[in-house]
Amino acid sequence: MPASRSVVIGVDSSTQSTKAAAVDADTGALLAVGRAPHTVTGTAGARESDPEEWWTALVTAVRSAVRDADVSAASVTGIAVAGQQHGLVTLGAGGRPLRPALLWNDTRSAPQAAALAARLGGPEAWAARTGSVPVASMTAAKWQWLREHEPERADAATGVRLPHDHLTERLSGTAVTDPGDASGTCWYGTATGAYDREVLDLLGLDPALLPALAPTGATRAGTLAPAAAEALGLPRTVAVAAGTGDNMAAAVGLGLGGAGLLDHPVVSLGTSGTVFAATRVRPAAPGLAGFAATDGVGTYLPLGCTLNCTLAVDRFAALLGLDREDAVPGGGDGGGVVVLPYLDGERTPDLPHAAGLVTGLRHGTDPRAVLGAAYEGAAFTVLRALGELLAACGLDPAAPDVRDRPLRLIGGGARGRFWTDTVRRLSGRPLVVPAAGELVALGAAALAAGAATGSDPVALATAWGAGAGEVLPALPRDEETWDRIAGVLTAATPTLLS
């Protein structure tokens, strides 16, 4: 590689692993990806990880990416972290974690979320001021849980961070966050672009414990701190971006934002299922997370999130002794199997205490149909949130110009044939499946390039073409399966799922 060409590193620190992408800053070419796993622990609703393991994984993944890209350390000009959203990291002396982080899918804080949601004027008021209503996944609820269950640790905290904040601080020595990830806390005001002091007072959270707010995720937080540079084997001159949450980075990687596409919906199939779109409308819908985008130009990223997606379906495959692709549609000769795979409770709809539900079984039911029904139940739950998302953006989901807008299908599930077929069948919409497989890391790389050069990260990612891919035409919408699942969800919610 010519010495004049710069390389940027985009880090995707997710629930299960860290991936670091080495990217040519000029062309967006993905040169190499380094990987390292995380450990998630907990039962009965608890989900925790050690932030020190995230840092170790980041170092391992970055070193691997630079090595496998066969580039010199001197060619690396920027780095940015995109992290799993909502997690609560509490720091003590020396900036090290006091305890394992409470992850986004830890549902123990559901009672605290419900109590908070009833305050400050109720759910509508929360949505109007912070963009979101407290639910178990939100950081504010987790902090309140910590205050009630481990008050000595809450009192001892010298810093409160989100996962990406913590890693950015380890890289740069600067405590900084961005509007996108901050908007997932329920203590950041999307209407004001600042921390909400009344919410912080309600939570007993000293604003001095929080990181500074950067204007965008591509804002230069500084350069590599000496210890980080040594650990990564990179020059101290490498620019460190403020970074953002994983969903915001995926949007950047897809070219969604003020300098790119607006009001184009995305469906992400991963451990969680999400739907989101970049829009100029500041939504205030209680059923959605009204996030800010990370490009800092008055763009928002409303998002609907389900807790149970690919991991839950894989669990059904394991229980049935099947490969994940050994599925058939669930409404076959058995009379119509319905699976609501809410193994971790559910966030959308807000059913934190739900468990998985299977109905419609007969003696002759094919196990493959049960697996197919698990796919359908997970996809239905995500697509049900899509209608709410489009309405929150001021769009009519049934209008032809909106209905015919392709869904951009991303995440691990987008690589699965049955996942793709199920989304096409239940949505009745055309799909775009981007060719790039590491959109969160690529989006983070665009933020890193923005920090190094001052360029708009959405414009960069658009020029790179990271969001381009195969277009799959629409299939007729499977109304029968949709209505069958909707009927079971409605009937079960007041009793079996609550």
Side-chain angles (χ1 to χ4, degrees):
M1 175 175 289
S4 61
R5 186 172 296 173
S6 68
V7 175
V8 288
I9 306 294
V11 177
D12 173 8
S13 181
S14 69
T15 313
Q16 304 291 336
S17 67
T18 291
K19 290 174 278 188
V23 176
D24 185 313
D26 297 318
T27 66
L30 182 60
L31 305 177
V33 179
R35 294 176 171 82
H38 300 167
T39 303
V40 178
T41 61
T43 58
R47 295 293 184 274
E48 299 184 348
S49 282
D50 181 1
E52 292 291 346
E53 187 178 44
W54 300 341
W55 173 250
T56 301
L58 183 151
V59 170
T60 299
V62 169
R63 280 186 168 273
S64 175
V66 173
R67 182 190 66 241
D68 292 349
D70 194 24
V71 297
S72 69
S75 68
V76 178
T77 58
I79 188 170
V81 177
Q84 55 177 303
Q85 288 191 254
H86 308 307
L88 176 66
V89 180
T90 48
L91 303 179
R96 293 298 182 261
L98 286 170
R99 71 177 314 283
L102 301 175
L103 303 186
W104 61 274
N105 54 350
D106 189 313
T107 58
R108 288 175 293 177
S109 55
Q112 288 73 29
L116 287 173
R119 306 285 295 277
L120 299 180
E124 290 75 15
W126 278 95
R129 66 197 298 166
T130 73
S132 304
V133 178
V135 292
S137 58
M138 297 292 179
T139 323
K142 298 182 187 306
W143 172 254
Q144 191 68 4
W145 181 91
L146 191 73
R147 291 179 70 204
E148 294 178 14
H149 290 268
E150 300 178 11
E152 70 288 348
R153 282 187 167 134
D155 291 343
T158 61
V160 172
R161 306 286 186 266
L162 294 165
H164 111 262
D165 304 341
H166 175 59
L167 293 171
T168 300
E169 189 171 6
R170 290 290 294 266
L171 287 169
S172 67
T174 303
V176 64
T177 192
D178 81 300
D181 212 8
S183 65
T185 61
C186 272
W187 59 59
Y188 171 87
T190 54
T192 63
Y195 292 129
D196 189 311
R197 293 299 295 264
E198 189 175 357
V199 172
L200 294 179
D201 288 344
L202 175 63
L203 295 169
L205 181 55
D206 183 348
L209 299 181
L210 300 177
L213 285 163
T216 77
T219 299
R220 188 184 181 107
T223 59
L224 285 176
E230 182 178 1
L232 297 174
L234 296 176
R236 287 192 58 192
T237 54
V238 172
V240 180
T244 193
D246 51 5
N247 290 297
M248 292 77 193
V252 171
L254 287 165
L256 306 185
L261 292 172
L262 294 170
D263 299 322
H264 280 251
V266 177
V267 173
S268 176
L269 305 175
T271 302
S272 62
T274 57
V275 291
F276 58 87
T279 181
R280 295 293 194 187
V281 177
R282 192 180 74 83
L288 295 174
F291 295 141
T294 196
D295 56 355
V297 289
T299 310
Y300 300 93
L301 198 76
L303 179 145
C305 179
T306 69
L307 292 182
N308 302 275
C309 198
T310 58
L311 196 63
V313 171
D314 287 350
R315 180 58 179 154
F316 269 88
L319 288 170
L320 294 163
L322 298 173
D323 183 86
R324 66 181 63 172
E325 292 292 341
D326 290 340
V328 297
D333 295 337
V337 181
V338 171
V339 175
L340 298 177
Y342 300 164
L343 304 184
D344 281 321
E346 191 46 79
R347 169 173 165 177
T348 308
D350 186 18
L351 297 166
H353 304 297
L357 178 67
V358 181
T359 186
L361 297 179
R362 304 285 186 182
H363 282 291
T365 299
D366 187 333
R368 298 176 302 160
V370 179
L371 179 57
Y375 276 95
E376 292 168 348
F380 165 89
T381 306
V382 175
L383 293 171
R384 184 175 175 268
L386 176 63
E388 299 177 33
L389 170 81
L390 295 171
C393 293
L395 303 171
D396 178 2
D401 66 318
V402 177
R403 185 190 60 224
D404 295 340
R405 228 169 265 183
L407 295 179
R408 281 161 172 77
L409 192 67
I410 65 172
R415 306 298 166 188
R417 176 191 57 80
F418 202 84
W419 272 116
T420 302
D421 291 348
T422 302
V423 171
R424 290 176 73 194
R425 183 164 48 85
L426 291 183
S427 70
R429 293 172 175 269
L431 303 183
V432 173
V433 183
E438 302 295 346
L439 285 164
V440 173
L442 283 168
L447 297 178
T453 66
S455 301
D456 184 290
V458 174
L460 278 172
T462 300
W464 290 350
E470 181 183 9
V471 179
L472 302 175
L475 295 175
R477 190 164 183 257
D478 187 348
E479 301 283 358
E480 180 182 354
T481 297
W482 183 276
D483 291 344
R484 184 172 65 251
I485 301 171
V488 170
L489 177 61
T490 299
T493 296
T495 53
L496 296 177
L497 296 176
S498 296

